[in-house]
Amino acid sequence: MESAGARRASGGSRNPDVVCEKHLFKGKLPEPLFQLACSYHLCAFPVNLNELCVWNTATAQPLYLSGHHYSISAVSFGSKIDPLLVCSASHERVIVWNLDECTQKVQEGFTPRGIVIGTLLGMVLHVRFSPDDQQVAVCAGNQIYMLSAKNEAILAELDAHLAPVTAAEFCTWEKNMLISVSEDRTFKVWDYSTSQLIYQSGIITAFPLLSLLIDEESKQIITGCAEGQLWIFSLISDRNYRCIAHIDLKKEQEKFCNKKWKSGKEIGDGQNNSKLCKTDNKTRPEGSVETSFPILLIEHCDFFVCFHNEENTYSSLNTSYFWIGTSTGLLIINLANFELEAFLSYRDYSDLSIRIARSCALTRKAADQKALCLITSMFEDMIAVLEVNLAALVRTQHSDFVPCGNEKSLSVFARCTLLANSPLCKGLKKNMKEPASKIPGVKGTMKDKPLVFHNKIKSSGYTAAPRMTMFSPNTNLKKKEVSKWKISCKCKNKEYPLESYPPIKYEKEISLACKPTPIFCIQYSGDGELLACGLADKTVLIFNSNLTDVHNVFSGHDGAVNSVGWSHDKKWLVSASEDRTLRVWSVCNKEPALILGKENFHKNVHFAQFYFIDTFILLCCGAEFHLLSFHLDTTKDDLKRYKQRSVCKLVQKFPMTSTMEITSLSAVNEFYSYIVLTAGSNRALEVFDLNAGCSTAVIPEAHVRSVHQICQNKGSSFSTQQPEAYNLFMTTAAGDGIKLWDLRTLRCERRFEGHSSRCHPCGIAMSPCGRFIASGSDDKYAYIYEMRSSTFLHKLGRHTESVINVSFSPSSPQLTTATSDGKLRLFLP
């Protein structure tokens, strides 16, 4: 076999270091060649049909091993390094080679010999060593043979597939478990020690399944088919192998291209790309032809090794990455958010000898930030050894991302003083409620003025007789009253425990109405003592936190109450209704302190909340949100009781870009923040900076459907210990699960699986400790997630209807769920 030296794939690009063709081998290759192998600095592949070549990239020295009489169709390295084994399989025999012994034999002048462990098994498509290198799984025809790696012995025969088995992987944390995929479009789970079939999936796709990977960290399997589709299934024992995600790589690649195209950046700065044209919302090289997209390989990617010296460049969340090897190039997929991180197209590098691959292999571990890739040509007898600089590849395609900690990155915290022309500054001048020293960048504007009394002042009593009895404390308090007082004082100072268990124990249930009435919104007060509920029957109810007593009932709206929001001082509650009105209530009074009627809004009002530590009110109306300044006055004139003394003025309207309606809004009120997050019916997210008074960032196509809710952690439990967690926020959309975003980078950091075939949007909530996420569902369950896992942690039952809202208490680890039939359920740790 001819061999050529290393060639750097520059292709006239600005960055020639992304990929380098280390070696090219030419010669007759086996026609049915299905599996190549890479491990650390070694590559294994067949030459001259029936001879095995193990090529050392460090020394550029090949080791040739002879023992087959027919063409080699599959090759695989062992799981351990010492000794490093390699298995080669052909139609007539399967051989295991000890590379240390073979190298020593060659140095001594002898012909190396391997151990024949199987004969006449048929056409072998895939071989795989067990984690301890004691067994070898051989996929031949419709069967899987479990062979001993030390001698010729068939330990088990696994026969249930209806078409050739294309891949098999051992489960490292479950003893004797093997998973296989086949051209019959199903995957199967085996106990190979007893030859028992544990689980058999239904038909997943219309195309043959070609590749398989088991991720030990997330306990998931990833399988790919001949048409560029990926499926991810959970291997957690009680999850029944449920499908977590389905990824269309063609769509992901087009979305990745479009995002770069819109940002004015060429795809892959170091690539020699063809001219890109944008048609039908797709970015594709001019003159390109639609081709199939077979997934030849799925392998782990050593992504973080490339950035171990760059703090905060990427999220610190637990994230797995994996390579996808296709016929046209390599892709990197983020297993946390199921999105494309980078891709490399062979034809974009003119110096690469192979443009379309027939088979592919990659190293699991990167050495010096470089991964070894082995590909064979689809049309010619060539094998190329490529060296991919992972760090260079990712940097060229992500240099437009703003790293965390950068001064230009967004933050939920107010990091500068108020601008002179800021809408917030204008609103504060109209209604100065806070001392000037408390508001960032605002100086006191009050001047000395003569003191004038417009009302009668009660006498100080200096003309009355002096009081002879001094103050005497009440010492006749009962012990129970004293203990209650002490408990209440403790409750007021209570903070959410950072190291707490999730609230999964059912505690109690109450019904809010005589007949089924949907509960559209629930929210705890900042101290966790009270819970406000907005109902479809036009009322607002306030309960104490343990759901034992009704604290107050507010009525007056003429439509369903769609949002409620507490003030920072816990004295006021704002509510919005389908009757196009907004009301502010005093917790101690049944009458509203402020009413904004229909004449103020041209469309329904949604998502009303206090903002900037009770200085403003935010609300959504159609495709814009309003910033309102207000002053509340609950005193009444005996002669003009009908006249409202409270005042509310519009400061500014903020329209959202290219949308018909704002579907969700969120902002922090517990501390000074300039950031307001909005979502629109156009499926986009938009970030507004109210200090600058404009939109500052847009995330297009955040979900496949309109975002139903934006959720932020607005409490103060980790404000000093984990301030970076405030920059994380979540979104959810019907049928598209939950996504976790980082405001500083505007990237989706994790995607959480959906439930059943959800067609109705349901609420989400983040625990104050920042560890857990709760989600409602239309399958009558609430789900608890751990922040670092894409699959749910606990499933909460006992609901009789869809769970449409959930809320964590800000002061204690308890969760309240609300259902569409008007019931509240309380869960404790």
Side-chain angles (χ1 to χ4, degrees):
M1 173 172 270
E2 299 180 26
S3 66
R7 291 195 295 171
R8 189 168 298 279
S10 63
S13 62
R14 293 186 295 274
N15 187 353
D17 296 323
V18 173
V19 61
C20 172
E21 188 176 283
K22 297 286 289 183
H23 221 78
L24 181 69
F25 297 89
K26 295 183 179 179
K28 188 64 177 174
L29 294 179
E31 187 60 32
L33 177 58
F34 300 100
Q35 186 184 12
L36 305 173
C38 284
S39 178
Y40 300 97
H41 56 278
L42 298 176
C43 299
F45 51 89
V47 295
N48 303 322
L49 300 179
N50 58 3
E51 192 173 12
L52 180 65
C53 174
V54 180
W55 194 69
N56 191 320
T57 59
T59 62
Q61 294 296 321
L63 173 65
Y64 295 100
L65 305 174
S66 301
H68 291 277
H69 300 296
Y70 291 86
S71 299
I72 298 173
S73 58
V75 183
S76 178
F77 281 105
S79 305
K80 296 184 176 182
I81 303 175
D82 188 18
L84 182 59
L85 306 178
V86 64
C87 178
S88 57
S90 63
H91 182 77
E92 94 291 355
R93 63 178 57 177
V94 180
I95 304 176
V96 172
W97 312 84
N98 186 319
L99 292 184
D100 293 337
E101 293 179 0
C102 292
T103 302
Q104 185 177 354
K105 289 287 185 182
V106 170
Q107 292 173 350
E108 293 174 354
F110 298 103
T111 302
R113 298 294 179 189
I115 302 173
V116 177
I117 61 172
T119 55
L120 302 176
L121 300 180
M123 178 58 66
V124 178
L125 304 185
H126 189 88
V127 293
R128 182 65 67 196
F129 279 92
S130 63
D132 58 3
D133 284 350
Q134 296 299 308
Q135 296 96 21
V136 178
V138 179
C139 304
N142 298 2
Q143 293 182 302
I144 304 171
Y145 296 93
M146 297 301 302
L147 308 180
S148 170
K150 297 182 178 180
N151 50 53
E152 187 173 357
I154 298 178
L155 305 178
E157 294 185 30
L158 311 179
D159 185 7
H161 282 290
L162 304 178
V165 182
T166 52
E169 293 285 342
F170 289 88
C171 184
T172 55
W173 67 91
E174 290 285 350
K175 189 177 180 181
N176 302 326
M177 180 183 283
L178 181 80
I179 300 173
S180 60
V181 294
S182 165
E183 291 182 8
D184 64 8
R185 300 163 291 166
T186 69
F187 75 88
K188 292 177 170 55
V189 183
W190 309 85
D191 183 341
Y192 60 83
S193 64
T194 61
S195 302
Q196 180 183 358
L197 179 63
I198 300 174
Y199 176 80
Q200 175 176 324
S201 76
I203 293 177
I204 299 173
T205 174
F207 301 92
L209 296 178
L210 302 180
S211 50
L212 176 68
L213 176 71
I214 297 179
D215 184 60
E216 181 177 0
E217 185 177 340
S218 62
K219 291 183 169 51
Q220 296 171 354
I221 63 170
I222 304 104
T223 182
C225 75
E227 194 57 22
Q229 308 286 321
L230 281 176
W231 283 266
I232 302 175
F233 296 88
S234 175
L235 284 180
I236 299 176
S237 56
D238 59 346
R239 302 298 158 81
N240 298 320
Y241 306 95
R242 61 181 288 153
C243 180
I244 293 175
H246 167 232
I247 305 173
D248 187 330
L249 290 182
K250 284 185 179 179
K251 290 184 178 179
E252 286 297 320
Q253 190 167 337
E254 287 171 356
K255 186 166 67 174
F256 189 84
C257 290
N258 283 335
K259 185 168 68 173
K260 298 299 178 184
W261 185 87
K262 288 177 182 177
S263 65
K265 182 174 176 60
E266 201 174 309
I267 306 297
D269 224 11
Q271 300 180 22
N272 182 28
N273 290 336
S274 306
K275 291 182 179 180
L276 297 175
C277 60
K278 191 170 184 288
T279 57
D280 300 329
N281 294 324
K282 295 181 180 180
T283 305
R284 194 178 295 160
E286 286 183 352
S288 65
V289 178
E290 186 77 16
T291 59
S292 61
F293 207 70
I295 298 176
L296 307 175
L297 173 81
I298 309 174
E299 185 57 271
H300 287 94
C301 177
D302 210 2
F303 190 83
F304 282 110
V305 170
C306 304
F307 304 99
H308 60 88
N309 290 326
E310 300 180 22
E311 295 183 2
N312 297 324
T313 302
Y314 289 90
S315 171
S316 60
L317 295 174
N318 266 1
T319 306
S320 298
Y321 296 82
F322 54 95
W323 288 103
I324 302 293
T326 70
S327 57
T328 58
L330 303 174
L331 302 92
I332 301 176
I333 297 291
N334 187 328
L335 192 57
N337 57 23
F338 312 128
E339 292 184 357
L340 183 62
E341 292 288 342
F343 76 90
L344 183 153
S345 177
Y346 299 137
R347 70 177 181 181
D348 286 340
Y349 295 88
S350 58
D351 287 351
L352 294 183
S353 304
I354 298 175
R355 303 300 176 87
I356 300 180
R358 179 176 23 150
S359 53
C360 173
L362 276 156
T363 51
R364 179 183 293 251
K365 293 287 185 181
D368 297 327
Q369 301 185 355
K370 297 176 182 179
L372 207 59
C373 177
L374 187 65
I375 57 175
T376 60
S377 174
M378 177 73 76
F379 305 111
E380 302 177 72
D381 288 333
M382 292 191 301
I383 297 179
V385 180
L386 309 180
E387 188 178 70
V388 181
N389 189 323
L390 183 54
L393 174 64
V394 174
R395 282 196 189 96
T396 56
Q397 299 185 5
H398 287 259
S399 61
D400 57 333
F401 282 172
V402 181
C404 302
N406 191 303
E407 291 181 359
K408 295 182 180 180
S409 66
L410 295 172
S411 174
V412 74
F413 299 102
R415 297 188 300 188
C416 62
T417 59
L418 280 175
L419 303 175
N421 59 347
S422 169
L424 300 178
C425 197
K426 295 175 185 177
L428 287 168
K429 289 177 182 178
K430 290 181 181 180
N431 180 19
M432 182 61 69
K433 292 172 53 181
E434 294 287 344
S437 59
K438 291 186 178 181
I439 301 173
V442 176
K443 297 181 180 179
T445 57
M446 298 296 293
K447 298 180 179 179
D448 292 334
K449 293 182 179 180
L451 183 62
V452 178
F453 296 107
H454 295 284
N455 296 317
K456 290 184 177 181
I457 305 299
K458 187 178 178 180
S459 172
S460 62
Y462 62 87
T463 59
R467 298 179 65 177
M468 303 302 295
T469 306
M470 301 300 291
F471 168 77
S472 60
N474 183 4
T475 58
N476 295 325
L477 287 174
K478 297 180 181 180
K479 289 185 177 180
K480 289 184 179 179
E481 293 177 353
V482 174
S483 61
K484 284 182 181 179
W485 179 82
K486 289 181 178 179
I487 291 171
S488 65
C489 289
K490 289 180 180 178
C491 290
K492 289 180 180 178
N493 298 324
K494 187 166 54 176
E495 286 192 357
Y496 196 99
L498 294 178
E499 298 297 329
S500 62
Y501 292 100
I504 59 174
K505 178 187 174 185
Y506 171 78
E507 183 68 16
K508 67 180 304 181
E509 171 191 303
I510 62 170
S511 295
L512 303 194
C514 299
K515 58 181 181 180
T517 303
I519 305 171
F520 286 143
C521 49
I522 58 174
Q523 189 180 41
Y524 277 98
S525 60
D527 57 4
E529 294 296 308
L530 299 175
L531 177 71
C533 307
L535 279 68
D537 66 1
K538 313 174 188 178
T539 61
V540 177
L541 304 182
I542 298 181
F543 293 86
N544 59 1
S545 59
N546 55 10
L547 305 183
T548 55
D549 295 317
V550 179
H551 184 82
N552 214 334
V553 179
F554 300 131
S555 59
H557 282 294
D558 292 329
V561 179
N562 56 46
S563 69
V564 292
W566 287 95
S567 64
H568 176 71
D569 59 13
K570 296 90 180 174
K571 295 179 180 179
W572 307 96
L573 188 72
V574 61
S575 62
S577 169
E578 299 297 331
D579 63 2
R580 284 170 43 196
T581 66
L582 176 136
R583 295 174 183 244
V584 179
W585 313 82
S586 170
V587 177
C588 303
N589 197 342
K590 290 184 179 290
E591 293 183 8
L594 173 66
I595 301 176
L596 291 183
K598 298 179 182 179
E599 65 277 3
N600 296 283
F601 311 108
H602 64 285
K603 288 189 177 181
N604 285 348
V605 181
H606 299 277
F607 311 108
Q609 68 160 86
F610 290 100
Y611 174 62
F612 216 62
I613 312 188
D614 300 345
T615 309
F616 302 96
I617 291 177
L618 292 174
L619 59 87
C620 295
C621 182
E624 59 192 14
F625 71 89
H626 298 187
L627 177 68
L628 307 173
S629 65
F630 66 96
H631 171 70
L632 299 177
D633 186 353
T634 57
T635 60
K636 295 288 183 181
D637 190 321
D638 291 338
L639 298 179
K640 298 180 180 180
R641 294 186 60 85
Y642 62 90
K643 189 174 182 180
Q644 178 178 278
R645 293 199 171 194
S646 299
V647 179
C648 187
K649 295 182 180 180
L650 175 66
V651 177
Q652 189 171 327
K653 296 180 181 179
F654 297 87
M656 190 174 172
T657 308
S658 305
T659 188
M660 295 295 293
E661 183 181 13
I662 293 180
T663 58
S664 185
L665 176 141
S666 182
V668 174
N669 184 46
E670 297 300 312
F671 52 83
Y672 290 112
S673 173
Y674 305 142
I675 297 298
V676 175
L677 306 174
T678 61
S681 55
N682 59 348
R683 299 176 293 158
L685 293 173
E686 192 161 356
V687 183
F688 289 84
D689 183 349
L690 296 201
N691 188 23
C694 63
S695 170
T696 187
V698 177
I699 305 175
E701 299 180 1
H703 284 268
V704 297
R705 297 186 186 179
S706 299
V707 173
H708 164 64
Q709 183 181 348
I710 301 174
C711 176
Q712 293 177 276
N713 196 324
K714 302 177 183 180
S716 57
S717 294
F718 50 72
S719 57
T720 56
Q721 300 185 31
Q722 296 175 312
E724 69 280 356
Y726 276 111
N727 286 307
L728 299 177
F729 66 95
M730 298 183 305
T731 58
T732 183
D736 195 33
I738 305 168
K739 290 186 177 182
L740 179 70
W741 303 83
D742 192 331
L743 180 64
R744 296 163 295 180
T745 59
L746 298 177
R747 299 182 67 225
C748 176
E749 298 296 344
R750 186 170 295 279
R751 181 176 171 181
F752 301 89
E753 63 170 308
H755 319 298
S756 65
S757 56
R758 182 192 295 175
C759 55
H760 301 291
C762 296
I764 53 175
M766 186 188 298
S767 68
C769 66
R771 291 179 54 206
F772 305 111
I773 295 170
S775 168
S777 174
D778 59 2
D779 61 3
K780 303 179 183 179
Y781 286 94
Y783 292 83
I784 301 289
Y785 297 88
E786 208 274 330
M787 188 70 82
R788 298 176 180 272
S789 175
S790 296
T791 187
F792 66 88
L793 187 65
H794 295 284
K795 191 176 179 180
L796 310 182
R798 291 182 174 265
H799 300 96
T800 54
E801 276 298 334
S802 299
V803 182
I804 56 178
N805 272 294
V806 291
S807 182
F808 281 101
S809 168
S811 61
S812 61
Q814 68 181 47
L815 174 73
T816 299
T817 62
T819 57
S820 57
D821 60 350
K823 295 180 180 179
L824 293 177
R825 285 167 181 81
L826 180 65
F827 294 87
L828 300 177

